[in-house]
């Protein structure tokens, strides 16, 4: 006998926003302020979800934001995050699949299906199970309602429209249970539900009593299909979630191992096993963790990152071996696991090629260097569209595609990390290049110069830069050395700078 | 040539008319130029000359000569600056720009663009001095230089500008060499983007707005060449010290290009009315004949005297062709039966009256003649002609056909940033989240130019110390008033004898077949170019419909001009403020003033129209006027001169003409000064424009012996109505229509109702109120019917005082005219069934659905639900072959019994589909509950004592916040009538939410009688909207009647379910789809 539970989480987006432990959210919305989320609908921004407090103030989903704002001052407005909500739902589903029944499916956007046929007795019956589920949800901070019926549609309708939080409908009694509910409980679109109402069909009972032919003619077959699903006349299937774990390989030892050689050997074996698993799943690892369980219960881990996805067991093993000395075996290690903590799809690659493949050579090299000197120390330079020299470069990932530089306006090869004050500058105001300057105890007489190149502060970054100006000069001294100097201020308006001189770079 | 004379001239500056590039107004540029010691300034906006008239005015005030020019951005990426040497060259430039602009296709989003190539430039090169704007001394520049040399010869230049970028000096040196090689002269320019360095931030922001990105994303799309402000002559000469000839070249060009826009002589189009006559002669002949025809039994002397006086003035200024043009347009409209009426300064004239351009008899109505024409002012006369809104297009097309596209085009309107738009765009550019900018701009009511107040920012809980928010507020204030784009004037036509594009560039408008010149109204006035306003007026359409219906159904033939006699019965109605639906005097403010002003004759209406406007109300003119009219206060006239000016309005200056006259007579203004005073009153954009005349005016009046107190009061009044002031002729024209519509409403409320409904949307009131008002006046209104209704509302025979009004299919929400026409075309015999309508007309199912929802099949014995049920079955197969089969199947279908609708639901559905109900008023359903709360019926307010505290409740019809918004008017309605609520600012702030959004309001307040108009001064407000939600389930409260099962209310068990559901509705995702009474109020800000 089939029993389906429909779990309904009506306030999911709001309650998710209010959760303290959300990643990247330092402070949750204050509970005493009405909270809404918004989404874009064409040109308008409308409310997506509304907290109970906001609802009591007359706001409802679908209301234009401008109207809501006029109604309730001090509204806490956050953008809706359907992706994040979906991910949460997925986590809940995985949790449920591990805990209560293996057949769990996501019921977008705010519910779960749980097929509890034959497993409710493990928890002391359906009611006990439902209470348990609701309790778990509540503890996690989510209000929830649940209904169990033999027919999917009935469970769905009762979870959302029944008066009580837990609705248990014996098989065969679905028709009676849902008869007083409004037609929109049937998972039909709003337009059809409105049409029903316009014909005075206010309940599912009335709808079910109508002759089927004329109904289908006017509303299409979907209504009948939904009605049948609710009354248990037709079955409905759903895709159950299957919990997926990170690809891993593990070895347990009869005797605890202690020597680096032994660990090295195990790493080789594990890498081969992991590579095999990864290949079966069509994945490549981007980050791999090696976890060693010591006999004293301590866990030792090493983590390596990879510049591009790989499942080359030799490469993985060699990188891991470089870090072997970090492992402190203590009284011995009894088990080692190798887990691909981050992986991404990697298709099979053609290997046969006569030309040496430079591109293929690079990632392993990057990985080797990065593993040796630290991942954050390997990077490449990329340009940013900014005229302020120190802001015009940034670090990017070693293998990312970097933006190049324009050659039109040459910049010094070496930019000082911080501009350094230069002294004894003689220059004519407002815009003549300096005739000499001294830097690091050495005085330079300038023979040739170009400039000024006028660079304004980026006022939108900080207001302190609103008026500031730097006049840059490329200068060449008697020895032929070239420097990049600048003066703070445009030489006319004192607001633009104090006329002090700095060196910012050296040309090759 | 002395060195002084050959000093540097900045020839390359752009104004903010280079949309979203320039950020300085012409005024700012020229005053900066004057301060920096410039003798002349060249304005070269990108592909446009829009700003040049403003620049000319600024040049006049500052004494810095304008060198008119333009920057042409060619399709191959080159840019060149051109300056016309003379008038002929100017015409070539405007024709060149016109060619480029006409290539833009507005439909493809190219509106406002200009596509030009070297060949075009070559064709129109004569008399243009040009300079190439180069990048580097490279191959591309060489090619362009060769083009320049070939096209412009010795008038070709190469523009050198410092960029403040690496290698600048070398770049200029190489460019200069290159120029020499090609035989071109180098020209120093500043490439000016703004008048002062402080504008740089704003310039960055408009660049971001132009690229539709945030300032952070803008990157190198920012203007990267530095130092783009206007610099002093000495500084420029210092910078270009190594290129002395490039400096000299600027002075040479300035000397060479002496063209001034003032030279643009303008010719009126030829009106060939009578061959062999000069226009003046023709005008004289026509007007004299028309006057004689008006008075067949002998002409009163004063009429002919006035006419002759006017004709002499017209002859002096040679304005005869203008009158002839307006006359031809009006004559055309008349010939097509299009109702029209003139207004504007010339509309007060006898010429216009006898030619039928206006219907206001200037002798009879004693109109002020002053603003028409006088010998002192050579301003072109101004006539605006209002046409029926819906048929104005015919007139416009006739103008194009008659005068040709080369000679007729619409005036432009420069759309400028106002607070809201500025906040929105600047906020977006600074990357503020949309809800913050939305909230900020939401604090601004209507079209403000004042920016967002800091107070509002704090109220929103936003942090003013956040730099981005502070910058947004600050920069948006700077952006206010900056032009954003050109759009078309609603109906201002410029007509010329010569080619119009030889005067000003013409561009295609967004609407197909419309052409727009680049200058706006003020610019044309400045250049003394004639403009005829061809405007649309909804009420004229309504009146034409009414006159037609009157002739058709009652055999009475009338026109606007036939209603010259003041009818006491009509005025009696007006005094009672029974003016719903009439023109102008129907608004809340107007209605509340009518019982106090008690208009008795036409001129009272003229004053009424003019006085109840934000300006006079703010200028504190209403109360003195009322007191004097009621005899409580004596009008004071310090001397006979002013008495003559102000006597008609009891000493209160009400019209622009009077303000001018006061300035001339009282303060000794010259007529042209008085005219600029008027101009500053007429342009609502110029903030504080009137105030600059303050000292001159008050001092002038003191000098002429007036007391300071009187002078200040008078000025305050003039200042107050400044931007909102009416010229008398406008007021008179409006009053005429107001009277005509009142006459119609008084004598033929049936026809007035039908005509008004057919002219919707228009006016202050929704169809529901118009129908209700008609029914209260004893007119029967019949429902929409598939077998009786036409598209328009019609008049049906009916015994009794008035005919009946049949609602037309146009009232049915969502029904397209073509579909209705399709049905009506096949209604040669009555329809028998829904299927019959469908089969015969072939109209779409959704159209029939609309009619069924509006209960239009009732005459076939089908109620709303039954009809809809039948309609819904249609159209599953649309092939005609299956139609018959369908019909048969319909008969075979099992019978379905549908619950009849509750009475409340019927009313709700009426409102949903027709926006009105003939059955009952929604409030009637909740009356028992309201009675329990001791709520007074609106209809009973009449008998409620003044000053009593009561509670009323009703549906909010209208919300109005006039002027500065210290008061909000609400009009609410219940089943017995309407009530007028006044909400003062303090209360509004507390109850902002219900005032702005509630459909049903309960108001506790004090009754205040003002003659026959009753206000309730609100003390407390309560949003009762949820009460409306239950109406759908209700029977009529007073008709419980015998329960026959079908008619009884909802099953109590269902009710219980509905209740639990709605109590738990916080948990329900679909609660919003509940069909509730949707009432949309009309909000006027």
């Amino acid at each position: 006998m089939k029993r389906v539970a429909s779990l309904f989480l009506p306030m999911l987006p709001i309650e998710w926003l209010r959760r303290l432990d959300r990643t990247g959210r330092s402070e949750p919305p204050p509970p005493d302020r009405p909270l809404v989320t918004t989404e874009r609908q064409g040109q308008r921004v409308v409310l997506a979800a509304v907290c109970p407090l906001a609802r009591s103030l007359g706001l409802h989903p679908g209301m234009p934001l401008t109207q809501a704002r006029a109604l309730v001052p001090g509204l806490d407005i956050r953008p809706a995050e359907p992706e994040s909500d979906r991910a949460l739902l997925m986590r809940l589903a995985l949790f449920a699949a591990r805990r209560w029944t293996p057949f769990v499916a996501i019921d977008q956007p705010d519910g779960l299906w749980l097929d509890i046929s034959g497993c409710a007795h493990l928890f002391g019956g359906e009611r006990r199970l439902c209470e348990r589920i609701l309790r778990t949800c509540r503890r996690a901070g989510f209000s929830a309602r649940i209904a169990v019926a033999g027919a999917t549609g009935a469970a769905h309708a009762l979870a959302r429209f029944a008066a009580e939080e837990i609705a248990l409908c014996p098989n065969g009694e679905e028709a009676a249970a849902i008869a007083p509910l409004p037609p929109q409980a049937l998972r039909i679109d709003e337009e059809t539900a409105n049409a029903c109402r316009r014909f005075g069909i206010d309940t599912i009972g009335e709808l079910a009593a109508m002759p089927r032919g004329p109904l289908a003619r006017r509303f299409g077959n979907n209504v009948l299909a939904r009605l049948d699903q609710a009354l248990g006349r037709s079955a409905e299937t759903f895709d159950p979630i299957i919990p997926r774990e990170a690809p891993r390989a593990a070895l347990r030892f009869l005797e605890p191992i202690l020597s680096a050689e032994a660990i090295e050997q195990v790493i080789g074996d594990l890498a081969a096993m992991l590579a095999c698993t990864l290949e079966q799943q069509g994945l490549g690892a981007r980050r791999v963790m090696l976890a060693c369980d010591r006999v004293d219960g301590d866990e030792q881990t090493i983590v390596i990152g990879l510049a591009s996805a790989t499942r080359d067991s030799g490469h993985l093993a060699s990188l891991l071996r470089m870090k072997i000395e970090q492992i402190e075996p203590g009284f011995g290690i009894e088990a080692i696991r190798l887990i691909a903590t981050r992986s991404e799809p990697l298709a099979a690659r053609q290997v046969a090629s006569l030309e040496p493949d430079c591109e293929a050579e690079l990632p392993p090299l990057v990985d080797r260097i990065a593993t040796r000197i630290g991942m954050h120390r390997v990077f490449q330079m990329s340009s940013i569209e900014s005229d302020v020299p120190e802001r015009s470069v940034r670090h990017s990932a070693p293998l990312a595609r970097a933006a190049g530089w324009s050659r039109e306006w040459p910049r010094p090869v070496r930019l000082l990390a911080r501009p350094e004050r230069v002294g004894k500058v003689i220059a004519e105001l407002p815009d003549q290049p300096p005739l000499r300057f001294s830097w690091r105890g050495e005085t330079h007489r300038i023979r040739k110069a170009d400039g000024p190149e006028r660079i304004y502060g980026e006022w939108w970054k900080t207001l302190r830069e609103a008026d500031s100006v730097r006049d840059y000069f490329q200068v060449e001294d008697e020895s032929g050395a070239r420097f990049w100097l600048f003066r703070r201020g445009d030489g006319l308006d004192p607001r633009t700078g104090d006329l002090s001189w700095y060196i910012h770079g050296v040309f090759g | 040539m002395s060195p002084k004379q050959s000093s540097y001239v900045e020839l390359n500056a752009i104004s903010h008319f280079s949309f979203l590039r320039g950020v300085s107004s012409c005024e700012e540029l020229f005053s900066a130029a004057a301060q920096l010691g410039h003798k002349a300034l060249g304005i070269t906006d990108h592909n446009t000359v829009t700003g040049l008239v403003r620049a000319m005015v600024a040049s006049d005030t500052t004494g810095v000569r304008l060198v008119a020019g333009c920057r042409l951005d060619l399709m191959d990426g080159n840019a060149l600056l051109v300056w016309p040497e003379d008038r002929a060259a100017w015409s070539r430039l405007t024709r060149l720009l016109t060619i480029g602009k006409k290539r833009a296709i507005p439909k493809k989003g190219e509106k406002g663009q200009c596509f030009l190539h070297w060949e075009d430039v070559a064709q129109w090169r004569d008399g243009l001095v040009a300079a190439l704007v180069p990048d580097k001394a490279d191959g591309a520049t060489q090619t362009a230089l060769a083009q320049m040399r070939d096209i412009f010869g010795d008038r070709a230049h190469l523009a050198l500008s410092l960029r403040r970028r690496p290698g600048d000096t070398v770049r200029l040196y190489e460019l200069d060499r290159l120029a020499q090689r090609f035989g071109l002269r180098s020209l120093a320019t500043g490439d000016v983007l703004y008048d002062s360095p402080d504008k740089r931030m704003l310039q960055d922001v408009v660049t971001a707005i132009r690229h539709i990105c945030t300032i952070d994303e803008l990157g190198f799309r920012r203007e990267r060449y530095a130092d783009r402000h206007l610099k002093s002559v000495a500084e420029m000469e210092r910078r270009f010290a190594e290129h002395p000839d490039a400096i000299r070249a600027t002075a040479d060009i300035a000397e060479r290009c002496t063209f001034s826009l003032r030279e643009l002589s303008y010719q009126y189009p030829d009106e060939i009315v009578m061959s062999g006559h000069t226009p003046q002669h023709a005008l004289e002949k026509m007007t004299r004949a028309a006057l004689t025809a008006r008075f067949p039994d002998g002409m009163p002397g004063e009429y002919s005297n006035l006419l002759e006086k006017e004709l002499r003035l017209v002859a002096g200024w040679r304005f005869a062709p203008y009158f002839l043009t307006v006359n031809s347009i009006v004559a055309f409209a008349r010939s097509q039966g299009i109702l029209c009426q003139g207004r504007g300064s010339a509309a007060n004239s006898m010429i216009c009256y006898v030619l039928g351009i206006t219907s206001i008899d200037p002798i009879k109505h004693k109109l002020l003649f002053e603003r028409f024409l006088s010998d002192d002012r050579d301003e072109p006369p101004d006539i605006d002609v209002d046409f029926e809104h819906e048929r104005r297009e015919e007139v416009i097309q006739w103008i194009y056909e008659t005068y040709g596209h080369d000679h007729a085009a619409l005036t432009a309107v420069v759309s400028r940033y106002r607070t809201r738009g500025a906040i929105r765009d600047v906020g977006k550019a600074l990357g503020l989240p949309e809800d913050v900018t939305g909230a900020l701009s939401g604090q601004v009511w209507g079209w403000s130019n004042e920016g967002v107040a800091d107070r509002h920012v704090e109220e929103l809980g936003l942090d003013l110390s956040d730099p981005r928010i502070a910058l947004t507020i600050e920069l948006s204030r700077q952006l206010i008033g900056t032009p954003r784009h050109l759009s078309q004037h609603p109906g201002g036509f410029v007509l010329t004898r010569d080619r119009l594009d030889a005067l000003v560039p013409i561009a295609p408008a967004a609407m197909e077949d419309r052409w727009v010149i680049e200058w706006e109204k003020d610019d044309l006035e400045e250049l003394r170019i004639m403009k005829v306003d061809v405007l649309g007026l909804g009420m004229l359409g309504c009146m034409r419909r009414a006159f037609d219906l009157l002739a058709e159904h009652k055999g009475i033939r009338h026109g606007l001009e036939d209603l010259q006699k003041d009818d006491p019965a009509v005025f009696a109605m007006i005094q009672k403020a029974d003016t719903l639906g009439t023109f102008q005097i129907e608004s809340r403010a107007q209605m509340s003033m009518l019982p106090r002003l008690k208009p008795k004759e036409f001129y009272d209406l003229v004053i009424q129209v003019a006085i109840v406007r934000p300006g006079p109300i703010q200028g504190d003119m209403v109360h003195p006027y009322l007191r004097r009219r009621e005899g409580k206060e004596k009008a004071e006239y310090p001397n006979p001169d002013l008495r003559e000016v102000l006597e008609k309005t009891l000493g209160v200056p009400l019209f622009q003409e009077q303000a001018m006259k006061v300035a001339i007579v009282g303060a000794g203004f010259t007529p042209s000064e008085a005219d600029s005073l008027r101009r500053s009153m007429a342009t609502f954009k110029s903030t504080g424009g009137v105030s600059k005349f303050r000292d001159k005016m008050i001092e002038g009046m003191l000098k002429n012996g007036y007391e300071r107190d009187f002078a200040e009061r008078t000025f305050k009044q003039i200042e107050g109505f400044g931007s909102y002031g009416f010229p008398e002729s406008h007021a008179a024209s409006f009053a005429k229509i107001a009277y005509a519509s009142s006459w119609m409403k008084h004598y033929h409320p049936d026809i007035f109702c039908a005509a008004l409904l057919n002219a919707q949307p228009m006016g202050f009131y929704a169809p529901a109120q118009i129908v209700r008002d008609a029914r209260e006046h004893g007119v029967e209104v019949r429902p929409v019917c598939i077998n009786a209704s036409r598209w328009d509302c019609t008049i049906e025979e009916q015994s009794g005082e008035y005919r009946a009004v049949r609602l037309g299919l146009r009232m049915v929400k969502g029904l397209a005219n073509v579909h209705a026409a399709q049905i009506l075309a096949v209604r040669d015999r009555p329809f028998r069934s829904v299927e019959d309508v469908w089969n015969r007309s072939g109209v779409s199912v959704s159209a029939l659905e609309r009619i069924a929802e509006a209960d239009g099949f009732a005459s076939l014995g089908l109620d709303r639900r039954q009809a809809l049920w039948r309609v819904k079955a249609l159209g599953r197969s649309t092939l005609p072959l299956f139609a018959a089969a369908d019909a048969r199947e319909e008969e075979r279908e099992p019978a379905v019994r549908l619950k009849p609708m509750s009475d409340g639901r019927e009313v709700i559905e009426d409102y949903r589909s027709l926006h009105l109900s003939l059955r009952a008023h929604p409030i009637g359903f909740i009356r028992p509950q309201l009675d329990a709360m001791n709520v007074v019926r609106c209809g009973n307010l009449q008998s409620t004592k003044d000053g009593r505290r009561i509670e009323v409740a009703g549906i909010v019809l209208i919300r109005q916040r006039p002027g500065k918004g210290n008061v909000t008017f609400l009009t609410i309605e219940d089943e017995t009538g309407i009530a007028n609520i006044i909400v003062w600012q303090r209360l509004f702030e507390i109850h902002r939410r219900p005032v702005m959004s509630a459909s049903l309001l309960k108001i506790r307040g004090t009754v205040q009688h003002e003659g026959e108009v009753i206000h309730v001064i609100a003390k407390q407000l309560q949003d009762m909207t949820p009460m409306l939600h239950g109406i759908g389930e209700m029977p009529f409260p007073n008709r419980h009647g015998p329960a026959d099962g079908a008619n009884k209310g909802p099953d109590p068990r269902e009710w219980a379910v509905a209740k639990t559901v709605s109590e738990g509705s916080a948990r329900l995702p679909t609660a919003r789809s509940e069909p509730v009474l949707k009432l949309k109020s009309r909000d006027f800000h």
Side-chain angles (χ1 to χ4, degrees), chain B residues 346-641:
Chain B
N348 287 4
S349 65
M350 182 57 73
I351 298 179
C352 286
Y353 176 62
V354 295
L355 289 178
I357 294 168
T358 70
S359 53
I360 303 154
D361 183 336
I363 299 283
K364 191 163 183 179
H365 298 311
K366 303 189 200 80
L367 294 182
L368 272 181
F369 176 70
E370 304 305 331
R371 246 206 84 202
F372 163 45
L373 277 178
S374 64
D375 281 323
D376 330 305
R377 280 204 338 264
D378 67 334
E379 179 195 320
D382 166 26
I383 306 179
D384 302 345
V385 191
D386 290 324
F387 294 88
E388 286 173 44
H389 184 68
E390 298 137 53
R391 299 187 62 190
R392 188 176 69 113
E393 190 58 32
E394 294 173 39
V395 180
I396 290 177
Q397 288 310 327
W398 177 84
I399 291 175
Y400 279 134
E401 272 164 39
T402 312
Y403 297 90
H405 282 290
D406 290 333
H407 303 270
L410 284 169
T411 313
V413 172
V414 178
S415 302
R416 289 160 190 272
Y417 273 106
R418 279 188 263 267
T419 306
R420 275 193 192 187
I423 286 274
R424 210 179 320 111
D425 280 7
V426 173
K428 211 191 274 176
L430 290 183
L432 289 189
E434 204 161 339
D435 56 287
V436 173
T437 53
L440 283 173
S441 61
Q443 288 293 310
V444 185
W445 191 294
W447 287 1
S448 155
N449 281 332
E450 289 159 12
V452 172
D454 295 351
R455 180 172 59 87
H456 287 142
V457 181
E458 276 153 23
E459 267 168 31
L460 287 168
L462 297 174
D463 184 6
L464 254 180
S465 64
D466 179 314
R468 291 272 172 132
I469 288 179
L471 273 175
T472 301
I473 307 283
E474 169 57 30
L475 291 171
S476 64
R477 275 185 201 143
Q478 288 183 28
L479 192 62
I480 289 165
T482 303
R484 188 157 53 167
H485 56 87
L486 282 186
S487 52
Q488 66 178 58
H489 188 274
F493 268 95
V494 175
L495 305 168
T496 49
R497 191 181 70 199
D498 300 339
R499 289 182 68 96
L500 182 54
D501 58 6
L503 197 66
V504 54
I506 305 175
M511 274 171 85
E512 215 164 324
D513 280 336
R514 291 279 170 94
W515 303 93
V516 185
I517 63 166
E518 286 203 329
W519 289 330
E520 57 178 342
K521 185 168 144 264
D522 294 355
D523 303 333
L524 294 175
E525 238 173 76
E526 194 60 49
L527 295 173
R528 312 242 178 276
I529 294 176
M530 176 199 93
K531 166 173 129 290
V532 187
D533 273 355
V534 178
L535 301 169
L537 190 61
M539 186 44 98
L540 278 176
C542 172
M543 290 310 290
R544 201 256 310 150
R545 287 164 188 274
F547 287 135
D548 287 354
L549 286 172
L550 201 57
E552 186 188 336
H553 292 280
K554 302 194 179 177
I556 305 170
R557 284 178 201 288
H558 259 315
L560 271 184
E561 61 283 355
D562 299 323
L563 300 169
Q564 294 287 348
K565 229 177 77 200
D566 292 343
D567 186 329
V570 175
F571 280 99
M573 181 191 81
I574 294 174
Q575 286 174 15
K576 279 194 300 184
D578 181 11
T579 51
L580 190 147
T582 58
F583 187 62
Q584 285 282 319
I585 52 172
E586 63 162 352
S587 78
R588 270 293 307 284
Q590 291 278 358
M591 275 194 183
S592 67
M593 209 55 80
L594 285 169
R596 300 189 61 185
L597 218 61
K598 295 203 173 49
K600 288 190 289 289
E601 53 179 18
F602 177 72
Y603 199 78
D604 294 339
L605 279 185
V606 178
I607 290 175
Q608 166 85 21
V609 166
I611 203 168
V612 187
R613 300 187 41 82
I617 291 172
Q618 276 167 33
D620 193 25
M621 298 140 99
V622 181
H623 288 104
Y625 181 82
L626 280 177
R627 282 198 299 273
R628 288 170 196 185
R629 194 177 157 87
E630 287 165 2
K632 291 179 191 161
E633 181 183 307
K634 252 178 83 72
E636 48 165 339
Y637 305 105
N639 66 21
D641 291 345

Side-chain angles (χ1 to χ4, degrees), chain A residues 40 57 69 71 145 160 198 200 202 206 217-218 385 387 431 450 453-454 456 459-460, chain B residues 164-165 167 204 220 224 227 238 434-435 468 853 865 869 873 876 893 899 993 997 1067-1068:
Chain A
R40 185 169 270 286
L57 291 170
R69 207 196 290 280
L71 284 176
R145 300 160 60 78
R160 282 152 184 83
R198 269 170 26 210
D202 295 328
E206 287 169 2
R217 222 171 120 102
R218 284 160 181 90
E385 289 195 1
D387 282 330
D431 56 3
D450 178 60
E453 177 181 3
R454 179 154 295 175
Y456 294 114
W459 54 267
W460 59 93
Chain B
R164 296 305 197 194
R165 282 293 170 182
D204 284 344
F220 290 161
R224 295 182 75 195
D227 267 10
R238 186 185 69 80
E434 204 161 339
D435 56 287
R468 291 272 172 132
E853 281 167 358
R865 267 187 188 154
W869 184 254
R876 289 286 165 196
E893 241 189 26
K899 282 190 293 190
R993 183 151 57 102
S997 73
R1067 300 190 289 261
L1068 296 177

Side-chain angles (χ1 to χ4, degrees), chain A residues 44-321:
Chain A
R44 302 187 315 163
V45 179
V46 300
L47 304 191
V50 172
C51 80
L53 177 58
R55 192 183 285 266
S56 70
L57 291 170
L59 308 188
H60 55 76
M63 183 186 252
L65 176 62
T66 44
Q67 193 190 343
R69 207 196 290 280
L71 284 176
V72 181
L75 205 54
D76 192 347
I77 300 157
R78 316 268 167 143
E81 299 166 0
E83 288 304 313
S84 162
D85 293 344
R86 205 194 131 77
L88 171 69
L89 214 48
M90 178 62 94
R91 274 168 56 188
L92 288 174
L94 284 172
F95 181 84
R98 294 206 182 97
R99 190 67 67 92
W100 296 307
T101 163
F103 291 102
V104 179
I106 286 184
D107 181 13
Q108 283 283 25
D110 51 12
L112 293 181
W113 294 113
L114 297 94
D115 187 339
I116 57 166
S117 318
C119 59
H121 68 275
L122 297 174
F123 302 91
E126 283 179 356
R127 181 162 295 279
R128 299 285 290 278
L129 172 59
C130 288
E131 281 166 1
R132 201 163 164 163
I133 293 172
L134 292 192
R135 213 160 41 233
T136 310
C137 289
R138 245 192 316 271
R139 259 204 307 275
F142 299 104
S143 29
R145 300 160 60 78
I146 194 165
V148 184
T152 47
H156 188 273
L158 288 169
R160 282 152 184 83
F161 286 83
E164 57 276 13
E165 259 187 348
I166 298 175
L168 303 177
C169 172
N171 278 21
E173 288 179 25
E174 283 88 356
I178 62 170
L181 303 185
Q184 78 238 39
L186 280 180
R187 293 184 284 165
I188 51 179
D189 57 71
E190 211 166 302
E191 194 191 336
T192 315
N194 286 339
C196 284
R197 205 176 294 108
R198 269 170 26 210
F199 289 124
I201 306 168
D202 295 328
T203 64
I204 295 176
E206 287 169 2
L207 187 69
M210 304 277 287
R212 292 173 71 89
L215 265 188
R217 222 171 120 102
R218 284 160 181 90
F219 298 130
N221 286 323
N222 186 40
V223 173
L224 294 180
R226 287 302 190 192
L227 194 60
D228 289 346
Q229 285 170 356
L231 297 176
R233 288 183 201 146
S234 71
E236 185 182 2
T237 55
F238 44 73
D239 271 346
I241 296 285
I242 297 161
R244 191 191 295 273
E245 293 190 337
R248 62 180 67 209
L251 284 175
R252 207 158 248 296
F253 316 117
L254 289 170
E255 287 286 324
I257 55 170
L258 276 161
S259 68
E261 292 75 29
I263 297 173
E264 208 166 291
Q265 174 65 37
V266 173
I267 285 174
D269 295 347
L270 284 173
M273 288 160 69
L274 183 66
C276 198
T277 316
L278 285 169
E279 186 161 17
Q280 280 165 7
Q281 297 182 9
L283 297 173
R286 283 299 301 274
R287 185 188 290 137
V288 174
M289 182 173 85
L290 186 79
C292 308
D293 298 337
R294 286 200 326 209
V295 280
D296 57 2
D298 187 41
E299 191 186 60
Q300 297 266 309
T301 57
I302 38 179
V303 177
I304 54 162
L306 296 128
S308 66
T310 182
R311 52 174 178 255
D312 179 340
S313 62
H315 181 52
L316 286 176
S318 70
L319 293 178
L320 288 166
R321 280 176 191 138

